[in-house]
Amino acid sequence: MGLLTTGAPLSWTETVPHLPSLKAQGIEQFIKLWSLKGSLANFAMKFGDEIEYILVKMDPETKNARVLCEAEKVLEQLKAAAMEATPGEQSMAWNPEFASYMVEGTPGVPYEDSIAALLSVEPNMVARRNAVQQQLGETEICLSISFPSLGVGTFTHPPAAADEGNPEAAFSLLWPQEAVFNGHVRFKNLSKNITDRRRSKVSIHVPIFMDEATPSPYMDSPTTSGETENWNLEARPDHILMDHMGFGMGLCCLQVTFQAADVDEARMLYDQLTPITPVLLALSAATPCVRGKLVDLDSRWSIISQSVDDRTPEERGMVESATVTAIPKSRYGTTSCYIASSSSRFNDTSLLIDEDSFRKMVEAGIDEEMSRHVAHLFIRSPLQVFKERIEQDATKSTEHFETIQSSNWMNMRFKPPPLDAPGMGWRVEFRPTEVQLTDFENAAYCVFIMLITRVIKEKKLDFLVPISMVSENMERAQQRDAVLHGKFFFRHSVEKVSDSAESGEDIKEMSINSIVNGEVGGFPGLIPLIQEYLTEVVTDESTHVRLNAYLTLLSKRASGSVKTLARWTRDFVREHPAYAKDSDVNSEIVYDLMKEMDAISNHNKECEALLGSK
Ligand code: ADP
Ligand code: MG
Ligand code: MG
């Protein structure tokens, strides 16, 4: 997660006097990077995934499942084991994440662009899961899911009390500091600086799923006795309320990064994949339980967005101000603009930019579209600055640029090559996919994203729709069962006509099934497009069979013949004998759910409803 440099972090108050200089240096660093790396070319396509896992402590006697806050120790052991790996073994790399019960695993080196590499994605994921599991005790499990009852009573192991009045923490009534990863200063500092900049706790509202016996109106309380006044935040009727960054950043996802041949190809891929991001969000939906309740959304996106919303009351438009410009969304939010020059006619929303940064980039000869993208990132403040490195040499460091870049969390990320990595080219990252329960599914989503990227490149397909429609699609993609009932703005003819074709004329609202599987006489479908491509490049029958198993899973998810993890989990809860039809996912249900998930993901228990018949 983001930049992991070390040192003595500045508090928000200490950061404020340095803001103009930090932003100016950040832009100078980007300009330098552009001049040094902008003309790099002929890089091979490469890719790599990131999976976030959680550690869970199971107590069979009390039937309790709690998050196990031992990531620091587990990571040390995983890193040591990875160093000792011998040639021929799966290579893997490990990183901390926001919560002290999370670890992030990636392949040790990125995959090459070959069909054989696609087949090695799943074995590497299996090896990674096993590696984590090996570090755990008998009653401890590793799952690639978002934990369903964060913030419910004592939800950590070892038990820890919530921060409450702790000014050094983020004042949460539900979340303990011990659940934030402590092995790197970034995480606690980021959480504290977000709260301090915003001038209040973060305030996360998620609509509750209204079941037969759910109290109506439902008012969320931080205590079991039901008072709502002591939140120090406004509870909304029929919404769950959460008050800490961890409720968002403590959830898990699957990301895929690609290396492009050069900067222009990276810009093209960034843009072309952007309209596909909401499709993958709906298709990967996996988060129907939040803070121990069934919710009326299926994915984590809007939760994270609210969990890191550092805007001041003036920026949020809650307090009128003659001097502060209102910012319409959180720094974690849907992509605001396309970045290739040829895409600019699809940028149909007004874009807030840091004018000073924009002017400097344009004066330095960077084109307007790229300057606008970076100047938009720079409307945000740096939240993670280290005392020792306030003043920097732009020929040696890009840290101030990276600090702002890596805390702008959007559908895609455009990643410039690091200054000090001669072998690395321009990359783009596909970010919204929800992590799946099993390695088979995670491999399927990763391979699908890789293959559609390949097809876009080879066939020069054009998926662009106005950026406002992508934002709308992201909203729709999070709704309950969006995969079955949602309609999404999408192009029905994707053969590129010309760069100047009128926008909007061939856009329709389509179901995920039509987008993924195609329509008779209409849009060909993402999977048929991939299959057509595969018949051209894959000659080996057994490879076809394996890749088709992945595509079949996604095809069936899109048609509804197998369930998303969100739907499967929702059904598991609602069919559980301890469920009282009141939206409450009590500790007994959570325990049984974790046990069932462990059996499916770690012991390969068959689950046709989720995975289809293999
Ligand atoms: P992030 O900033 O998104 O956390 P990471 O450094 O964790 O980025 O890497 C994300 C993924 O990118 C990993 O799977 C890694 O293997 C992959 N990756 C690393 N180098 C390259 C490259 N040159 N091209 C494509 N992918 C790469
Ligand atoms: Mg990472
Ligand atoms: Mg990433």
Side-chain angles (χ1 to χ4, degrees), residues 281 299-305 332-334 410-411 432 474 478:
L281 184 59
S299 53
R300 77 205 188 296
W301 185 265
S302 71
I303 304 174
I304 315 190
S305 171
Y332 189 114
T334 166
M410 299 191 284
N411 305 29
M474 284 299 281
Q478 300 171 59

Side-chain angles (χ1 to χ4, degrees), residues 39-85:
S39 57
L40 291 182
N42 301 322
F43 277 75
M45 179 99 159
K46 283 185 183 175
F47 72 104
D49 67 272
E50 292 165 79
I51 291 184
E52 293 164 351
Y53 304 87
I54 61 167
L55 313 176
V56 179
K57 170 80 178 168
M58 303 289 281
D59 184 344
E61 263 162 42
T62 59
K63 284 200 129 205
N64 251 301
R66 292 179 173 153
V67 287
L68 174 67
C69 298
E70 292 191 353
E72 208 174 328
K73 185 184 89 188
V74 169
L75 272 172
E76 252 172 52
Q77 292 162 347
L78 284 167
K79 285 183 177 176
M83 297 272 285
E84 283 163 19

Side-chain angles (χ1 to χ4, degrees), residues 449-502:
I449 295 164
M450 174 59 194
L451 283 172
I452 198 68
T453 305
R454 231 24 277 21
V455 172
I456 289 170
K457 241 176 85 143
E458 293 299 316
K459 308 273 176 192
K460 303 198 174 11
L461 300 183
D462 190 355
F463 289 102
L464 297 192
V465 296
I467 201 78
S468 60
M469 291 184 182
V470 177
S471 300
E472 175 60 28
N473 285 350
M474 284 299 281
E475 283 296 317
R476 297 181 182 186
Q478 300 171 59
Q479 303 307 312
R480 180 160 47 89
D481 289 328
V483 70
L484 301 181
H485 310 307
K487 294 274 185 193
F488 298 84
F489 295 106
F490 213 76
R491 277 181 103 119
H492 55 92
S493 71
V494 291
E495 259 101 73
K496 195 164 185 132
V497 187
S498 80
D499 276 347
S500 58
E502 278 301 303

Side-chain angles (χ1 to χ4, degrees), residues 50 104 255 257 413 415 429 431:
E50 292 165 79
E104 180 196 277
Q255 297 170 338
T257 293
R413 184 172 287 154
K415 295 176 169 177
E429 181 182 32
R431 301 172 40 77

Side-chain angles (χ1 to χ4, degrees), residues 279-353:
V279 178
L280 264 291
L281 184 59
L283 202 54
S284 65
T287 319
C289 297
V290 173
R291 203 158 92 72
K293 304 283 180 201
L294 283 178
V295 293
D296 210 21
L297 292 177
D298 265 2
S299 53
R300 77 205 188 296
W301 185 265
S302 71
I303 304 174
I304 315 190
S305 171
Q306 297 173 79
S307 82
V308 290
D309 189 355
D310 71 331
R311 289 172 300 162
T312 62
E314 293 79 12
E315 286 169 346
R316 275 178 281 141
M318 299 177 76
V319 174
E320 259 187 54
S321 163
T323 50
V324 177
T325 313
I327 301 179
K329 55 191 175 187
S330 163
R331 58 197 298 154
Y332 189 114
T334 166
T335 298
S336 302
C337 64
Y338 294 112
I339 61 175
S341 303
S342 58
S343 312
S344 62
R345 69 189 187 285
F346 290 100
N347 288 330
D348 64 333
T349 55
S350 69
L351 189 71
L352 278 182
I353 57 170

Side-chain angles (χ1 to χ4, degrees), residues 5-21:
T5 42
T6 52
L10 296 185
S11 69
W12 173 243
T13 323
E14 289 167 332
T15 308
V16 170
H18 300 289
L19 285 174
S21 154

Side-chain angles (χ1 to χ4, degrees), residues 84 102 107 127 207 252 269 279 366 398 450 484 507 520 559 587 613:
E84 283 163 19
M102 288 166 94
C252 297
L269 288 177
V279 178
I366 301 177
T398 56
M450 174 59 194
L484 301 181
I507 296 165
V520 180
S559 70
S587 56
S613 51

